Amino acid sequence: MKEQDFIPAHCDAVIEKGKVTYRSPSNIALVKYWGKKEHQIPANPSVSFTLDSCATTTSISYARLDSKGDDYSFELLFEGKPKEDFKPKIKIFLSRIEKYLPFIKQYHFIIETSNSFPHSSGIASSASGMSALALCVMHIEKQLRPEMTTTFFNQKASFLARLGSGSACRSVEGSLVQWGKHDTKGSSDLFGIKYPYKVHSIFQNYHDTILLVDKGQKQVSSTVGHDLMHNHPFAEQRFAQAHQNLTELKSVFERGDLEVFIKIVESEALTLHAMMMTSMPYFILMKPNTLEIINKIWAFREQSKTHLCFTLDAGANVHVLYPESEKVEVHEFIQNELVRYCENGQYISDRTGSGAKRI
Ligand code: PMV
């Protein structure tokens, strides 16, 4: 698929009004996307687990205008209340997707959105939020072009979500999604694909307990962080390493090799933060409690012979990953030893999920 394939050739049907709702989950990257080219094209491929509980639910009520407007016509409600400060981000998103959905100035939209996780949890809602929005607008396009296949629908939803927030393109399907051109068959820089090879049953229902170490606003946004990978002294080696890790993960996923899985996942998390610390200007998003937790995880893993590991996104929170078969021991460990490092003792129990759903 090429970019041009997402520009509709025709849109003959006319729909006056309607309403659509999607619930879209967040995702956690195992191989991290960090660094991008123009138009949200990733500098390296990534792969993630789609989550289940952490999700955004978005509805769009759409009504056809008498004539095409000069600007986008929409209202935005977050958790039931008008939210003016989210509007500029939505406007940028609409301007990026208009080329691929030429009808959007022909409609007035009421966008209502809410998250399953607390707004101030330090959990980024851009992946779940942008994918839910992309799915809703794709549903409208599907009404206008009913011949569209499900494969195309999902690819284009992921393609559009990517234009809102890169990692959002990995939230349309589940439970393992790859984004970015690599040897993996069917992989693309334009959209995420369901991981196409064999995945061992140990990775089914994999757990992710998200320890909320710091619920504050990040000091450095991921947009700024991605940008700092331009002229970064270690950028090329890092991008090559991501490819290598993805290649290595193929047999890890197939064989269910948790020892190697842990090495790759933890190394990816620390490399992501090492890139931040070696950017110019440099910055640190981990907090002292992030490191306390990492050290506790290493000690517990050694002593218990379980297979929990950690990963991090662009923040201080720690994602603790472990197989379903070890959940009892790991929960007990988290309760007894890790919760004390969380802000107000807060954490979220999540697991891998099957992707976005229309509701
Ligand atoms: O989608 P963005 O631009 O917010 O970037 C997300 C980057 C990481 O979460 C750090 C890594 C990833 O692959 O999700």
Side-chain angles (χ1 to χ4, degrees), residues 21-91:
T21 305
Y22 267 92
R23 179 185 190 274
S24 193
S26 186
N27 67 72
I28 181 68
L30 306 170
V31 171
K32 308 287 178 180
Y33 148 60
W34 198 243
K36 63 177 158 185
K37 304 173 198 165
E38 235 195 321
H39 307 302
Q40 310 269 88
I41 296 300
N44 66 261
S46 56
V47 68
S48 53
F49 277 144
T50 307
L51 297 179
D52 188 37
S53 317
C54 285
T56 299
T57 301
T58 298
S59 301
I60 298 189
S61 308
Y62 50 99
R64 198 166 193 276
L65 300 165
D66 293 337
S67 59
K68 203 166 174 170
D70 293 332
D71 203 354
Y72 311 108
S73 174
F74 70 98
E75 293 161 56
L76 183 77
L77 297 145
F78 177 67
E79 281 162 9
K81 296 191 195 83
K83 187 89 177 157
E84 288 304 308
D85 41 329
F86 280 8
K87 282 180 112 175
K89 218 175 164 184
I90 305 289
K91 212 167 159 173

Side-chain angles (χ1 to χ4, degrees), residues 27 29 31-34 36 46 126 165-168 170 222-223 226 272 276 312-314:
N27 67 72
V31 171
K32 308 287 178 180
Y33 148 60
W34 198 243
K36 63 177 158 185
S46 56
S126 58
S165 168
S167 58
R170 298 187 311 236
S222 51
T223 309
H226 285 293
L272 169 70
M276 299 172 187
L312 307 166
D313 54 18

Side-chain angles (χ1 to χ4, degrees), residues 224-244:
V224 172
H226 285 293
D227 256 4
L228 291 172
M229 288 304 281
H230 294 293
N231 304 319
H232 191 292
F234 307 133
E236 289 315 313
Q237 293 95 313
R238 160 59 198 152
F239 301 148
Q241 180 200 41
H243 278 275
Q244 207 179 308

